[in-house]
Amino acid sequence: MKTEYDVVIIGAGASGLMCAAQAGKRGKRVKVLDHGPKPGRKILMSGGGRCNFTNRRVSAQNYISSNPHFVKSALSRYRPEDFIDLVRQYGIRFSEREHGQLFCTDSAGQILDMLLAECRKSGVSLAPKTIITRIERDRSARGFQIRTSGESINAESLVIATGGVSMPAAGATPFGYKVAEQFGIPVVQPRPGLVPFTVQPADKTVLSPLAGISVKARACTGSASFEEQLLFTHRGLSGPVILQASSYWQSGAPVTIDLFPDGNIGELLETVCKTRPKRHVKSVLAEYLPTRLVQARLDEKLLNCPLNRISRQALKTVVDAIQTWNLQPGGTEGYRTAEVTVGGIDCRRFSSKTMESNDVPGLYAIGEVLDVTGWLGGYNFQWAWSSAWAAGQAV
């Protein structure tokens, strides 16, 4: 069977559904193909089931890309306020958490239901459980021929909205990268992002007993620095501050961790020494940090030393152990638990205004499949909405 559409979108995730609805509103005949049984699986899993659907404080600085200016056009033309307006139109209740993060009050399913309703209103055709067997340029006209196990589809425009390769259990595959490479478009080497660190065997022996402890910390790697909660796990380190740093971390590089980011441990101990000189180091630190963590970072003899007997060198040892902890991660937990993929289809080969390929007319790429990675906190969803909206106005 052969069918004709104006637009075929590969991927029924956040960006694919958003783009489909926008193109459909413009009167385009749109079909969305997805190999999975149901659309929007990552939407349903996001934000602990409540979907951190955007962030009020979005800027280009919140994204990683080989072309750091690429996101500016789309983000300025479809803003967080625009998506919030859509959410309000559907009566979806939401709450704002720290750092401008917006979450559904009830369920992530409401965001998916909203996108599907927008698609229905626009006459979009959804085709789950569809395996694409071949994609070719239609040499007789401007467009593409997409072959599946059930039909052959001709389309003027083809949109890659397959996402990254993180969370393979949710259906993530490298199919979108393969389509780009088929048409001669390079892919920036993908790697896991927003992912917990594993640690070296020696560090694991010391740190695994701390599993479950959470503290505010600052983590720095390369030129990136973040300050949020750090969580010790049985395998290594996690928590928002580690997830943020992981997207910037390069294999083999150290991560510097400050476990007392709101003050100076050395100055604190010197101040206490003036009024209570016989207090032990451990008793002072225990007022600010979990005892088990302090014991893991410092020798017991030093911890039991009275403040008035601590040497300058010993004081520096305390400061270094708590505030300049240079950790060499063993690696990350990989795509299995990564929330995003860093890298992807090279966005330097696409229009930042329309998301159309500069080399292959009619071919578009949107969302996470591109070499654009947002911070933790709703930034990746906003990129999905903005890039999809931009493409939806152009296909």
Side-chain angles (χ1 to χ4, degrees):
M1 183 175 69
K2 192 170 186 178
T3 54
E4 300 277 346
Y5 285 90
D6 297 312
V7 185
V8 165
I9 298 172
I10 307 174
S15 62
L17 294 175
M18 181 70 170
C19 182
Q22 294 301 318
K25 287 178 183 179
R26 296 176 49 240
K28 299 290 184 176
R29 295 167 299 163
V30 183
K31 186 157 191 170
V32 181
L33 310 178
D34 196 287
H35 71 283
K38 294 181 179 179
R41 284 175 290 174
K42 281 192 177 181
I43 296 175
L44 297 176
M45 296 170 62
S46 65
R50 286 196 163 82
C51 190
N52 181 191
F53 58 83
T54 192
N55 193 297
R56 290 193 186 276
R57 309 171 190 173
V58 171
S59 73
Q61 283 68 46
N62 303 121
Y63 295 88
I64 305 167
S65 175
S66 56
N67 180 2
H69 299 290
F70 183 78
V71 300
K72 292 180 178 179
S73 176
L75 291 175
S76 66
R77 292 163 61 222
Y78 191 85
R79 305 163 300 158
E81 293 83 355
D82 297 313
F83 192 77
I84 292 168
D85 287 343
L86 181 61
V87 168
R88 286 187 170 129
Q89 288 174 31
Y90 278 80
I92 299 172
R93 296 186 301 151
F94 60 89
S95 59
E96 183 171 347
R97 301 185 189 176
E98 60 184 1
H99 311 305
Q101 303 172 77
L102 300 186
F103 287 78
C104 293
T105 302
D106 299 315
S107 167
Q110 294 176 298
I111 298 296
L112 177 56
D113 290 343
M114 177 189 75
L115 294 171
L116 292 173
E118 287 286 288
C119 285
R120 283 193 298 271
K121 287 195 298 185
S122 301
V124 172
S125 174
L126 296 180
K129 299 182 182 179
T130 297
I131 303 301
I132 297 172
T133 58
R134 192 170 181 179
I135 299 173
E136 297 177 316
R137 289 286 281 167
D138 188 341
R139 299 300 178 185
S140 63
R142 183 183 187 272
F144 302 85
Q145 186 176 77
I146 303 99
R147 297 181 187 272
T148 74
S149 53
E151 64 180 330
S152 177
I153 307 168
N154 282 7
E156 291 186 12
S157 299
L158 178 65
V159 182
I160 308 172
T162 52
V165 289
S166 58
M167 296 187 185
T173 76
F175 185 78
Y177 304 153
K178 293 177 181 178
V179 174
E181 290 172 337
Q182 173 189 333
F183 289 105
I185 301 171
V187 173
V188 177
Q189 182 62 46
R191 57 186 173 84
L194 298 182
V195 61
F197 284 134
T198 58
V199 293
Q200 306 283 353
D203 289 323
K204 186 175 181 180
T205 301
V206 176
L207 299 177
S208 59
L210 304 179
I213 289 178
S214 177
V215 295
K216 185 178 181 182
R218 182 182 299 115
C220 305
T221 182
S223 60
S225 177
F226 295 94
E227 188 174 311
E228 289 196 60
Q229 288 297 114
L230 180 151
L231 174 67
F232 290 88
T233 72
H234 289 291
R235 300 189 65 191
L237 301 178
S238 188
V241 73
I242 294 300
L243 300 185
Q244 297 279 39
S246 72
S247 292
Y248 290 84
W249 180 71
Q250 299 293 331
S251 180
V255 177
T256 302
I257 298 172
D258 182 352
L259 297 169
F260 193 67
D262 294 330
N264 183 298
I265 284 290
E267 292 178 359
L268 171 67
L269 294 177
E270 289 177 340
T271 299
V272 175
C273 182
K274 293 176 183 177
T275 55
R276 301 187 65 184
K278 294 185 179 181
R279 283 194 70 183
H280 290 182
V281 172
K282 180 165 64 176
S283 70
V284 178
L285 296 183
E287 294 180 5
Y288 301 91
L289 293 166
T291 300
R292 282 192 294 150
L293 173 56
V294 170
Q295 291 173 329
R297 294 298 303 138
L298 290 162
D299 179 79
E300 192 68 27
K301 182 178 180 181
L302 179 53
L303 288 173
N304 289 321
C305 181
L307 293 177
N308 61 353
R309 294 178 58 187
I310 192 169
S311 67
R312 301 304 300 179
Q313 183 57 44
L315 183 63
K316 183 178 184 304
T317 298
V318 174
V319 173
D320 289 346
I322 301 298
Q323 298 206 273
T324 55
W325 174 20
N326 285 312
L327 177 75
Q328 183 74 55
T332 73
E333 291 190 2
Y335 291 121
R336 180 182 62 85
T337 58
E339 295 192 23
V340 295
T341 304
V342 182
I345 299 174
D346 193 342
C347 56
R348 291 172 293 191
R349 306 289 284 271
F350 287 78
S351 163
S352 62
K353 183 177 180 181
T354 65
M355 304 293 131
E356 184 176 17
S357 166
N358 298 327
D359 307 307
V360 186
L363 182 66
Y364 297 76
I366 57 176
E368 191 187 341
V369 75
L370 284 165
D371 175 29
V372 173
T373 306
W375 289 6
L376 184 72
Y379 299 100
N380 287 291
F381 270 125
Q382 185 56 46
W383 172 244
W385 316 137
S386 296
S387 60
W389 183 91
Q393 311 311 305
V395 292

